[in-house]
């Protein structure tokens, strides 16, 4: 069946709201894209606003105490904000699939699949709320046997995700890798797209290539593992802004040709 211009316009109009939502998500991600708000919390500590432990807790007993003393700080240090960030990235990826699906459908299907699997893995790996629940149960326990069980369960959760440790769980690394690969594929597809242009594409390629350097440093030079994300960060911020502009522009042109 041959698709008419009218059919194409109706099909595109169904994506209009998602394009606006994806653009808004990209701008929101600019604000909270950082993976760890510890540095900001330490800055507020100097003004007496937050009581942030130094160093960050590592053992379950230490996390339990922090989560009871200051739940907001505990959850922030446990990277709970990443759950919001990954949700925003998922919305961005979905909107980009709609915008780029006609440019290279197979590549966009693969990129979207990588992205959503990575996001799902991260949601399964982030143990912030599970640790909070265990902390509450530990505080309410009345016997040493109960406390010991909760501590053991806490240590098991920390084996999956422990923000205070140098090495993270496999799920954290896998989720980050899949999301970065998804972003790289999308950026390459953008090279052939009239919606975003070459500047957006090359900015995304640089952001995601430098981000992949994190895994190289992690394997061969852990002492400088912070360098690739630091280099990648400004490119990612700019990429999100350019994505937002492109998605807003695309949404505005639907049903308004010419």
């Amino acid at each position: 069946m041959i698709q008419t211009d009218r059919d194409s316009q109706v099909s595109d109009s169904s994506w209009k709201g998602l394009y606006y939502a994806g653009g808004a998500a990209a701008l929101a991600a600019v604000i909270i894209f950082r993976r760890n708000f510890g540095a900001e919390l330490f800055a507020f500590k100097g003004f007496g606003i937050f009581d942030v432990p130094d160093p960050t807790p590592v053992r379950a007993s230490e996390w339990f105490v922090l989560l009871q003393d200051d739940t907001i700080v505990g959850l922030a240090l446990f990277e709970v904000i990443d759950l919001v960030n990954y949700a925003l990235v998922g919305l961005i990826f979905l909107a980009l699939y709609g915008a780029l699906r006609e440019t290279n459908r197979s590549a966009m299907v693969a990129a979207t699949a990588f992205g959503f699997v990575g996001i799902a893995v991260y949601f399964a790996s982030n143990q912030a709320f599970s640790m909070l629940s265990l902390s509450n149960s530990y505080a309410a326990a009345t016997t040493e046997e109960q406390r010991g069980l909760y501590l053991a369960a806490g240590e098991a959760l920390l084996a999956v995700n422990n923000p205070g440790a140098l090495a993270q769980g496999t799920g954290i690394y896998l989720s980050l890798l899949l999301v970065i690969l998804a972003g790289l594929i999308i950026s390459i597809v953008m090279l052939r797209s009239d919606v975003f242009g070459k500047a957006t594409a090359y900015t995304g390629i640089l952001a995601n290539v430098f981000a992949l350097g994190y895994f190289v440093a992690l394997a061969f030079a852990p002492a400088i593992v912070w360098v690739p994300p630091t280099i990648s960060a400004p490119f990612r911020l700019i990429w999100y802004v350019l994505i937002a502009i492109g998605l807003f522009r695309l949404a505005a042109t639907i049903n308004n040709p010419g």
Side-chain angles (χ1 to χ4, degrees):
M1 180 182 293
I2 299 176
Q3 186 182 49
T4 66
D5 290 342
R6 179 178 176 81
D7 292 333
S8 178
Q9 188 179 69
V10 171
S11 176
D12 285 341
S13 67
S14 65
W15 291 86
K16 184 173 183 178
L18 184 58
Y19 295 151
Y20 278 123
L27 292 180
V30 170
I31 300 172
I32 65 169
F33 97 106
R34 270 178 43 78
R35 296 192 66 253
N36 193 320
F37 277 67
E40 285 81 356
L41 290 176
F42 276 109
F44 283 117
K45 180 180 180 180
F47 296 98
I49 300 176
F50 292 111
D51 184 14
V52 185
D54 188 13
T56 300
V58 175
R59 299 179 61 82
S61 57
E62 298 168 344
W63 279 110
F64 287 173
V65 171
L66 174 59
L67 287 166
Q68 290 302 307
D69 289 346
D70 196 325
T71 302
I72 293 177
V73 170
L75 290 176
L77 290 180
F78 223 105
E79 300 174 354
V80 72
I81 302 299
D82 276 8
L83 294 172
V84 179
N85 186 36
Y86 271 79
L88 292 172
V89 170
L91 189 55
I92 295 169
F93 282 167
L94 192 58
L96 289 175
Y97 171 79
L100 296 169
R101 68 193 189 282
E102 299 302 332
T103 303
N104 191 327
R105 188 177 296 271
S106 60
M108 287 306 300
V109 167
T112 306
F114 283 166
F116 275 90
V117 170
I119 291 167
V121 170
Y122 185 81
F123 269 74
S125 300
N126 187 296
Q127 304 298 329
F129 290 110
S130 296
M131 284 296 289
L132 177 60
S133 177
L134 283 176
S135 174
N136 292 335
S137 297
Y138 179 83
T142 57
T143 68
E144 288 301 319
E145 182 180 3
Q146 290 176 329
R147 294 189 184 94
L149 290 174
Y150 292 129
L151 284 173
E155 292 295 342
L157 290 182
L158 292 177
V160 177
N161 175 209
N162 188 349
L166 177 62
Q168 297 292 298
T170 303
I172 300 297
Y173 294 129
L174 178 60
S175 65
L176 180 59
L177 177 62
L178 289 172
V179 168
I180 292 172
L181 289 176
L184 181 58
I185 294 172
I186 290 171
S187 300
I188 294 172
V189 173
M190 284 178 174
L191 287 171
R192 297 178 54 196
S193 168
D194 295 329
V195 175
F196 296 98
K198 296 294 191 293
T200 306
Y202 284 124
T203 302
I205 290 172
L206 289 173
N208 290 288
V209 167
F210 282 127
L212 284 174
Y214 169 81
F215 295 96
V216 178
L218 187 66
F220 301 104
I224 60 169
V225 73
W226 56 273
V227 173
T230 302
I231 298 175
S232 170
F235 291 104
R236 186 164 298 277
L237 289 175
I238 297 171
W239 190 46
Y240 283 159
V241 171
L242 293 176
I243 285 173
I245 293 172
L247 289 173
F248 287 148
R249 184 187 298 124
L250 177 61
T253 60
I254 294 176
N255 295 328
N256 296 288

